[in-house]
């Protein structure tokens, strides 16, 4: 497939996944609006349909909660409760402002949106119209950051905690295994609520029933506490500081600084916060013994031993100190992740005994995290390796199509076939 044919295919995927005012990640598997998916999608959609890119972000932020959190899913009221589990009835979220009348989850995802907003702006020819979009979004983006910095600083160290593996966007990553082990498994929860993902996708690719039962227990605990963040340390069963989530939190501040300059707001506090988070990330989540970053279980204070792609994402930060930058590059180039090879980086250490080439975030290649690493390589001036990674990403997409994820051994496309962020980021890579 030529680049032109891939571009055409990617545009068709995005057009087919557009629904009224947002893009669904995949028609079959994910029929609602997902938070960080909308941001990645907007980056690529800005190239051919900027008005839809803005609309997607606007519809997501129209469902923002009063406390600033942006829900990880905004449910489409026209989709049956049976088509995705857990749906709105399970989440039972309090009414929030927004056209969907409060049909949302109560958890969040990484705040990629400021990066998307800045990128759409830079791509828009009508700068005045684009500036008006930024003026509408900016206070909402800031409110989301404030929620994460204040409501979610559970450990009081300046990093945001996630309260559920779904909040990371990397659902069943081995990074959560040690923290999840303390969560009781009640498989009867899956008998009373039928999993929908395993009806439309291959079971051996998806999180196990044990993991899923734990996800439901954790979500129910947060819901039953009224989605309040006070006192989480005393009663919530899962609290983790994720290096990818916090890197994106800092990256968001850098994008907000750029946006602030465009609309005449003060950029300096955003740059200061980005610098501070970068420093705390290094102090708290970097392990000199492995030379990479690891998730911290806030309940025990322990760093996870697992070497996951999330531990390389701090590379996206231009202010990462030289020592960490070079050790992350060494790890990325090592046999564990294989930067420079024909296939992009896997989600988990290829040399680990429990590396699983098919199961979701326990091995497969995902384009969005590789795209972040690609940004990092460019930010640090590693242009040749950035070009190699770009070629590897486009190579698997050209051979396999716009799949949800790819086999890290032979590069075959697996998961949902017409997946929005793969299509959108392919467009961005070819821009
Ligand atoms: C789920 C929609 C979401 C992504 C996540 C990915 C998966 C499963 O699909 O989550 O049920 O939410 O892990 O990153 O946002 O594409």
């Amino acid at each position: 497939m030529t680049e032109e044919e891939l571009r055409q295919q990617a545009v068709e995927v995005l057009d087919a996944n557009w629904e009224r005012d947002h893009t669904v990640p995949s028609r079959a598997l994910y029929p609602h609006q997902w938070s960080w998916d909308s941001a990645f999608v907007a980056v690529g959609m800005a190239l051919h349909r900027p008005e839809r890119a803005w609309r997607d972000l606007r519809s997501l932020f129209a469902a923002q909660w009063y406390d600033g959190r942006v829900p990880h899913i905004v449910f489409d009221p026209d989709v049956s409760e049976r088509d995705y589990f857990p749906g709105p009835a399970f989440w039972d979220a309090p009414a929030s402002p927004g056209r969907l009348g409060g049909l949302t989850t109560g958890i969040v995802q990484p705040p990629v949106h400021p990066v998307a907003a800045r990128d759409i702006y830079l791509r828009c020819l009508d700068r005045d119209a684009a500036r008006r979009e930024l003026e509408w979004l900016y206070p909402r983006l800031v409110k989301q950051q404030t929620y994460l910095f204040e409501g979610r600083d559970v450990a009081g160290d300046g990093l945001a905690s996630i309260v559920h593996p779904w909040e990371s966007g990397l659902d069943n990553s081995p990074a959560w295994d040690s923290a999840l082990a303390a969560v009781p498994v009640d498989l009867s929860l899956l008998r009373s609520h039928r999993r929908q993902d395993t009806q439309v996708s291959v079971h051996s690719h998806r999180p196990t029933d044990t993991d899923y039962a734990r996800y439901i227990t954790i979500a129910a605990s947060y819901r039953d506490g009224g989605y309040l963040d006070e006192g989480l340390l005393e009663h919530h069963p899962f609290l983790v500081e994720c290096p990818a989530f916090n890197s994106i939190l800092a990256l968001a501040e850098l994008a907000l600084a750029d946006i602030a300059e465009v609309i005449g707001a003060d950029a300096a506090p955003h740059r200061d916060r980005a610098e501070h988070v970068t420093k705390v990330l290094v102090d708290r989540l970097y392990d000199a013994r492995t030379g990479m970053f690891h998730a911290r279980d806030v309940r025990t204070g322990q760093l996870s031993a697992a070497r996951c792609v999330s531990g390389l994402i701090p590379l996206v930060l231009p202010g990462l100190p030289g020592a960490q930058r070079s050790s992350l590059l060494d790890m990325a180039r090592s046999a564990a992740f294989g930067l420079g090879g024909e296939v992009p980086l896997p989600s988990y250490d290829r040399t680990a005994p429990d590396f699983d080439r098919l199961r979701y975030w326990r091995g497969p290649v995902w384009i969005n995290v590789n795209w972040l690493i690609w940004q990092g390589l460019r930010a640090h001036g590693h242009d040749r390796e950035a070009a190699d990674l770009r070629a590897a990403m486009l190579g698997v997409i050209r051979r396999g199509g716009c799949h949800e994820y790819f086999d890290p051994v032979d590069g075959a496309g697996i998961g949902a076939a017409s997946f929005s962020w793969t299509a959108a980021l392919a467009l961005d890579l070819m821009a």
Side-chain angles (χ1 to χ4, degrees):
M1 191 191 291
T2 64
E3 282 210 355
E4 196 39 52
E5 284 163 347
L6 174 56
R7 193 171 285 116
Q8 185 61 31
Q9 190 191 93
V11 166
E12 281 166 17
V13 167
L14 292 179
D15 281 352
N17 288 349
W18 177 256
E19 186 64 47
R20 284 193 313 279
D21 59 2
H22 65 276
T23 306
V24 297
S26 140
R27 288 267 166 206
L29 199 53
Y30 301 124
H32 303 285
Q33 181 181 33
W34 262 258
S35 169
W36 81 330
D37 295 61
S38 283
F40 290 121
V41 166
V43 168
M45 206 152 57
L47 289 154
H48 67 296
R49 294 198 193 282
E51 72 292 348
R52 283 192 178 174
W54 290 123
R55 191 114 187 264
D56 214 333
L57 291 184
R58 269 194 183 242
S59 64
L60 178 70
F61 278 82
Q64 184 171 32
W65 287 25
Y66 291 115
D67 64 6
R69 85 182 75 192
V70 175
H72 104 291
I73 302 175
V74 181
F75 292 107
D76 181 338
D78 295 337
V79 171
S80 157
E81 182 82 28
R82 280 192 314 260
D83 286 350
Y84 180 78
F85 173 74
F90 170 89
W91 291 97
D92 192 22
S96 63
R99 89 240 178 277
L100 291 182
L103 288 181
T104 71
T105 65
I107 59 172
V108 300
Q109 271 189 329
V112 191
H113 320 88
V115 174
R118 186 214 27 220
D119 288 2
I120 318 174
Y121 171 79
L122 291 174
R123 283 181 168 159
C124 278
L125 298 177
D126 183 348
R127 285 291 165 93
D128 285 342
R131 191 179 311 107
R132 284 195 293 279
E133 295 288 347
L134 288 184
E135 280 163 359
W136 186 86
L137 272 170
Y138 177 77
R140 292 164 172 84
L141 295 167
V142 170
K143 217 171 154 198
Q144 171 172 238
Q145 296 290 105
T146 306
Y147 168 72
L148 296 171
F149 278 118
E150 292 176 4
R152 290 305 189 81
D153 187 1
V154 176
D157 58 6
L159 297 180
S161 285
I162 54 169
V163 303
H164 196 293
W166 282 330
E167 293 204 308
S168 67
L170 322 169
D171 314 13
N172 64 336
S173 166
W176 326 129
D177 287 359
S178 48
L180 275 180
V183 179
V185 179
D186 179 359
L187 288 173
S188 70
L189 291 170
L190 299 183
R191 284 193 283 280
S192 47
H193 306 288
R194 196 164 115 108
R195 280 182 74 173
Q196 189 54 31
D197 59 322
T198 48
Q199 306 299 315
V200 289
S201 185
V202 190
H203 205 156
S204 62
H205 291 193
R206 304 284 309 171
T208 60
D209 278 353
T210 306
D211 279 343
Y212 227 82
R214 287 185 165 125
Y215 299 165
I216 300 304
T217 299
I218 299 167
S221 158
Y222 195 42
R223 176 198 63 197
D224 296 346
Y227 296 110
L228 297 177
D229 295 314
E230 292 80 39
L232 285 175
L233 208 44
E234 282 81 63
H235 61 82
H236 192 64
F238 181 91
L239 293 166
V240 169
E241 291 173 342
C242 166
F245 192 106
N246 281 286
S247 300
I248 293 169
L249 187 67
L251 191 67
E253 288 296 330
L254 293 176
L256 282 169
D258 294 340
I259 294 172
E261 275 169 6
V262 172
I263 64 167
D266 188 1
H270 296 301
R271 297 224 164 82
D272 290 349
R273 271 195 291 276
E275 197 181 312
H276 183 68
V277 176
T278 306
K279 183 182 175 311
V280 183
L281 256 172
V282 172
D283 289 350
R284 301 275 298 168
L285 304 187
Y286 180 72
D287 188 341
R289 290 166 305 179
T290 59
M292 69 185 296
F293 290 76
H294 295 263
R296 180 184 295 279
D297 181 344
V298 174
R299 290 161 50 90
T300 63
Q302 297 299 310
L303 285 184
S304 152
R307 301 196 299 182
C308 303
V309 74
S310 51
L312 300 177
I313 302 292
L315 205 50
V316 80
L317 296 172
L320 192 68
Q324 279 71 30
R325 192 173 67 215
S326 64
S327 65
L328 286 192
L329 279 168
D330 288 347
M331 177 58 78
R333 293 171 184 140
S334 74
F337 290 97
L339 173 65
E342 288 228 334
V343 175
L345 276 65
S347 43
Y348 183 40
D349 173 3
R350 290 173 187 277
T351 65
D354 54 345
F355 172 75
D356 184 335
R357 64 192 273 195
L358 296 180
R359 205 181 283 279
Y360 234 45
W361 292 94
R362 307 184 78 86
V365 168
W366 290 77
I367 296 300
N368 63 334
V369 289
N370 274 279
W371 181 83
L372 288 168
I373 290 169
W374 174 68
Q375 301 272 358
L377 291 170
R378 293 197 307 168
H380 293 292
H382 296 279
D383 294 345
R384 193 185 50 75
E385 283 176 306
D388 289 347
L389 182 56
R390 173 187 176 276
M393 284 191 272
L394 287 175
V396 292
I397 304 171
R398 270 153 88 163
R399 286 193 297 279
C402 297
H403 271 264
E404 187 182 7
Y405 45 94
F406 297 85
D407 185 324
V409 177
D410 61 13
I414 44 183
S418 298
F419 194 69
S420 297
W421 81 41
T422 305
L425 297 177
L427 288 171
D428 181 67
L429 290 170
M430 291 185 291

